[in-house]
């Protein structure tokens, strides 16, 4: 049996507390908690049994790792009373008869995988009973800095001092070294989760492939640029390698990311943002116009590494969580529905009058029905949801086309705007947004246009109809929807609606359109 003991107490004095206490080994490096990188590397050496010595948040670590089955290993857990002195447990661990050597490591550091494999191979070979993984220090002083990892014979563990700290453990190991063990210099410095500076440094080493071993979950779309599934990336965004973007992220317009930057899962970056040499933890929201350098962001908590301070940002429009932003969106949606219901009740006599007038004056069908795509929508068309919509048709051409051309006129207000209030009240669309389209129409859009459209919201009043009139061209529609996607918000939507209603009123009093036709 090949065996390892990992010290995963989470003790790390330089760490700055973020939104919640967590052991350092559970802090993410690139796309997963650091301890997962360690377990995967140890399992890759062929070790099948791992003992963990825990202290800080032991339940959290044990729940995350489980019994080791997913790595083809068996895990056992021991609890230390003091994170700075966890080595008493090493004296009492029972080894099996075939455990001649054990890999001892600190789970907040990780040497290169090849060095781990070489240490185990040499440690099991004849004539080298003990192998220690050491990092070359000041050669002139003839001094080596211990990485916290060693491959030791099991007979060493009962001799470890009960109340020693890591420095004293290293001194004890050096004493053992003097009896004939072989120091093993590693090829490069370990990656580490001992401080936020080390985490950012480790991110850069892994992404630039300076450090051998860790596998990443995303796809390397270009050298040094890793993008995970379901990432919405605005066409104007720019990525400077090395960069990693996690799952289900939304990257807005004119965003600059990298180098040496990691964006966690489910993050939203608004427009005109620069992020470099930094890390945004999962579920973060970054507000418009921010410039971030050498920081780690955990929702509304920011650790600035150059000044060595952590602050809470109370303005949720600058930093916050996607969950908090979702609550705001839910509140905005609820407010839109209430306004839609109120306006529908007030305008219901006008809606009924329009229907009655068309019924008496128009021959043929006066209602157009169509299936529209619910927005925002996934890029996977197989999970798209639709809703049935209708509006009035004033003539056969409108009915056959299945639509009424949008315009800022009383005709548009009566035939399209008023019926659409029903769908605002039902929460299907908003007052302002991109135009409603059928699924087949969305699939026929160019890819970059389709990506912008899918992450937008549908509305009655659109940027195109307000700024380009009744029959905007294809380029004008694309420009309008791209601009709206980047600038949409309460103020911008209100401005569009006011412009639309102003032009409707102007069409009545200036052109007299209201007296000529419906």
């Amino acid at each position: 049996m090949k065996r390892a003991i990992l010290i995963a107490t989470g003790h790390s004095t330089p760490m700055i507390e973020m939104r919640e206490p967590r052991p350092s080994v559970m802090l993410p490096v690139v796309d997963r908690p650091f301890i997962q990188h360690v377990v995967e590397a140890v399992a890759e050496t062929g070790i099948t049994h791992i003992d963990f010595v825990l202290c800080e948040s032991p339940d959290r670590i044990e729940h995350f790792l489980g019994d080791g089955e997913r790595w083809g290993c068996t895990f056992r857990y021991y609890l230390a009373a003091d994170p700075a002195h966890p080595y008493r447990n090493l004296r009492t661990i029972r080894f099996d008869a075939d455990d001649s050597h054990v890999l001892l490591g600190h789970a907040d550091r990780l040497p290169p995988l090849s060095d781990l494999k070489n240490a185990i191979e040499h440690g099991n070979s004849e004539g080298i009973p003990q192998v220690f993984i050491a990092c070359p220090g000041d050669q002139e002083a003839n001094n080596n800095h211990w990485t916290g990892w060693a491959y030791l014979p099991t007979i060493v563990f009962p001799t470890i001092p009960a109340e020693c700290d890591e420095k004293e453990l290293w001194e004890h190991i050096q004493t053992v070294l003097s009896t004939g063990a072989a120091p093993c210099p590693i090829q490069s410095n370990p990656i580490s989760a001992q401080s936020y500076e080390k985490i950012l440094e480790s991110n850069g080493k892994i992404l630039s492939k300076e450090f051998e071993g860790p596998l990443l979950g995303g796809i390397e779309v270009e050298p040094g640029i890793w993008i995970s599934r379901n990432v919405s990336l605005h066409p104007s965004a720019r990525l400077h390698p090395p960069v990693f973007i996690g799952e289900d992220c939304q990257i807005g317009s004119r965003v600059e990311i990298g180098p040496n930057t990691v964006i966690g899962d489910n993050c939203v970056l608004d427009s005109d943002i620069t992020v470099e040499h930094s890390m945004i933890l999962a579920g973060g929201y970054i507000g418009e116009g921010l410039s971030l350098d050498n920081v780690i962001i955990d929702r509304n908590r920011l650790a600035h590494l150059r000044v060595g301070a952590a602050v809470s940002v109370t303005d949720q429009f600058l930093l916050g969580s996607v969950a908090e932003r979702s609550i705001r969106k839910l509140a905005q949606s609820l407010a839109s529905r209430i306004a839609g219901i109120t306006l529908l009740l007030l305008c219901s006599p006008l809606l009924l009058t329009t229907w009655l007038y068309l019924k008496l004056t128009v021959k043929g069908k006066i209602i157009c029905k169509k299936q529209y795509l619910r927005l925002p929508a996934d890029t996977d068309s197989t999970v798209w949801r639709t809703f049935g919509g209708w509006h009035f048709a004033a003539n056969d051409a409108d009915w056959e086309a299945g639509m009424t051309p949008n315009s800022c006129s009383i005709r548009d207000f009566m035939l399209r705007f008023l019926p659409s209030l029903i769908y605002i009240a039902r929460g299907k669309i908003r007052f302002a947004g991109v135009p409603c389209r059928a699924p087949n129409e969305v699939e026929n859009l160019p890819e970059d246009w389709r990506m912008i459209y899918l992450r937008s919201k549908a509305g009655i009043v659109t940027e195109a109809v307000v700024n380009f009139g009744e029959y905007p061209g294809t380029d004008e529609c694309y420009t309008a929807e791209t601009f709206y996607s980047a600038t949409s918000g309460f103020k911008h939507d209100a401005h569009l609606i006011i412009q639309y209603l102003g032009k409707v009123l102007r069409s009545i009093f200036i052109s007299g359109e209201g007296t000529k036709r419906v």
Side-chain angles (χ1 to χ4, degrees), residues 25-26 31-41 43-44 47-48 50 52 60-75 77:
V25 295
M26 287 296 291
D31 63 339
R32 63 200 69 182
F34 189 81
I35 196 169
Q36 184 174 344
H37 288 297
V38 174
V39 168
E40 289 168 352
E44 185 67 20
I47 286 174
T48 57
I50 304 177
F52 295 90
R60 182 174 186 171
I61 297 175
E62 187 172 350
H63 176 74
F64 174 74
L65 294 176
D67 60 5
E69 183 179 359
R70 60 172 162 157
W71 292 288
C73 298
T74 300
F75 292 170
Y77 300 92

Side-chain angles (χ1 to χ4, degrees), residues 270 288 325 432-433 455-457 463 482-493 496:
D270 213 323
E288 180 180 359
R325 186 169 170 82
R455 71 167 183 263
S456 301
K457 66 180 189 295
E463 193 87 35
T482 301
F483 178 77
Y484 180 80
S485 175
T487 58
S488 63
F490 176 78
K491 291 183 179 179
H492 186 73
D493 288 356
L496 281 179

Side-chain angles (χ1 to χ4, degrees), residues 93-110:
I93 291 177
R94 294 184 178 180
F95 299 105
D96 296 324
D98 55 350
D99 288 332
S100 61
H101 288 72
V102 172
L103 180 66
L104 172 66
H106 289 73
D108 56 1
R109 284 151 274 174
L110 179 62

Side-chain angles (χ1 to χ4, degrees), residues 144-160:
N144 284 331
H145 171 68
W146 186 41
T147 64
W149 288 72
Y151 193 60
L152 300 170
T154 53
I155 59 174
V156 171
F157 289 89
T159 69
I160 293 175

Side-chain angles (χ1 to χ4, degrees), residues 146-203:
W146 186 41
T147 64
W149 288 72
Y151 193 60
L152 300 170
T154 53
I155 59 174
V156 171
F157 289 89
T159 69
I160 293 175
E163 299 300 326
C164 68
D165 58 16
E166 186 176 341
K167 180 181 178 181
E168 292 166 339
L169 175 64
W170 171 232
E171 291 173 351
H172 177 74
I173 289 176
Q174 285 180 304
T175 302
V176 178
L177 273 172
S178 65
T179 65
C184 180
I186 67 171
Q187 297 176 7
S188 61
N189 287 328
I191 57 173
S192 170
Q194 292 176 284
S195 68
Y196 290 128
E197 292 85 352
K198 292 291 186 181
I199 287 175
L200 290 188
E201 182 182 328
S202 299
N203 284 338

